[in-house]
């Protein structure tokens, strides 16, 4: 595959992961916010299940979006967000958390109890999302500081 096709495929997969993750995250948050309050007639079990499954969908959607952001770093492709070397390493670590968390969670779930394996995978996904979020904040701060330095230099006439 040529580099242009490779770049296009990575960008398409990345866009699908990030957009799907964002849409599902917004949908879950919207459904949580519009969920009616539980009545005293015993709706608590159904409400609890909806919160449980909604939370799992939320974590997986945010994890998918995070994986989409980390994908070019995992594949060694060029990134339009211009992450530096250390940011790419952090994103590769986050991608490793996604993949290794899934494998360890699946193995643990099959060898012991499936809910425990699912819990391990969700914890690894949450940690990976935190790493991706920190890297995005780090990169945004770099962009802000660079723009501020350019603005100050332009105003001082240099």
């Amino acid at each position: 595959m040529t580099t242009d096709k490779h770049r296009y495929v990575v960008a398409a997969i990345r866009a699908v992961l990030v957009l799907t993750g964002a849409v599902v995250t917004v949908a879950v948050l919207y459904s949580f916010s519009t969920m009616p309050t539980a009545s005293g007639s015993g709706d608590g079990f159904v409400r609890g299940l909806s919160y449980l499954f909604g939370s799992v969908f939320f974590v997986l959607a945010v994890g998918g979006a995070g994986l989409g952001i980390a994908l070019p770093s995992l594949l060694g492709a060029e990134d339009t967000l211009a992450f530096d070397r250390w940011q790419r390493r952090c994103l590769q670590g986050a991608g490793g958390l996604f993949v290794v968390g899934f494998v360890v969670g699946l193995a643990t779930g099959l060898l012991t109890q499936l809910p425990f394996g699912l819990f391990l995978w969700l914890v690894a996904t949450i940690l990976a999302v935190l790493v991706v979020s920190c890297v995005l904040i780090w990169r945004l701060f770099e962009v802000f500081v660079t723009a501020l330095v350019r603005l100050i230099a332009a105003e001082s006439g240099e």
Side-chain angles (χ1 to χ4, degrees):
M1 188 178 324
T2 64
T3 58
D4 288 337
K5 287 183 183 178
H6 179 71
R7 190 177 313 146
Y8 176 73
V9 169
V10 169
I13 293 171
R14 182 182 203 182
V16 167
L17 284 172
V18 171
L19 289 176
T20 303
V23 167
V24 171
T25 300
V26 168
V28 168
L29 290 176
Y30 177 75
S31 69
F32 280 168
S33 68
T34 59
M35 191 179 300
T37 58
S39 64
S41 65
D43 259 354
F45 180 74
V46 173
R47 185 174 176 85
L49 275 179
S50 63
Y51 276 125
L52 175 72
F53 284 110
S55 298
V56 169
F57 282 133
F58 178 78
V59 169
L60 293 178
V62 171
L67 184 61
I69 292 170
L71 189 65
S73 296
L74 289 172
L75 299 176
E78 291 182 23
D79 195 359
T80 57
L81 298 176
F83 292 116
D84 68 10
R85 188 180 84 164
W86 292 107
Q87 291 165 343
R88 290 176 67 90
R89 295 274 179 177
C90 289
L91 290 174
Q92 289 169 351
L97 275 172
F98 284 120
V99 174
V100 171
F102 175 74
V103 171
V104 168
L106 183 64
T108 303
L110 291 176
L111 294 175
T112 60
Q113 295 177 348
L114 190 59
F116 183 64
L118 180 64
F119 175 74
L120 285 177
W121 181 41
L122 290 176
V123 168
T125 301
I126 290 169
L127 288 174
V129 166
L130 287 174
V131 170
V132 169
S133 299
C134 288
V135 169
L136 286 174
I137 291 169
W138 178 7
R139 180 67 186 129
L140 186 63
F141 184 72
E142 283 181 345
V143 168
F144 174 73
V145 168
T146 303
L148 188 63
V149 166
R150 286 183 184 164
L151 180 66
I152 292 172
E155 285 183 2
S156 66
E158 292 180 11

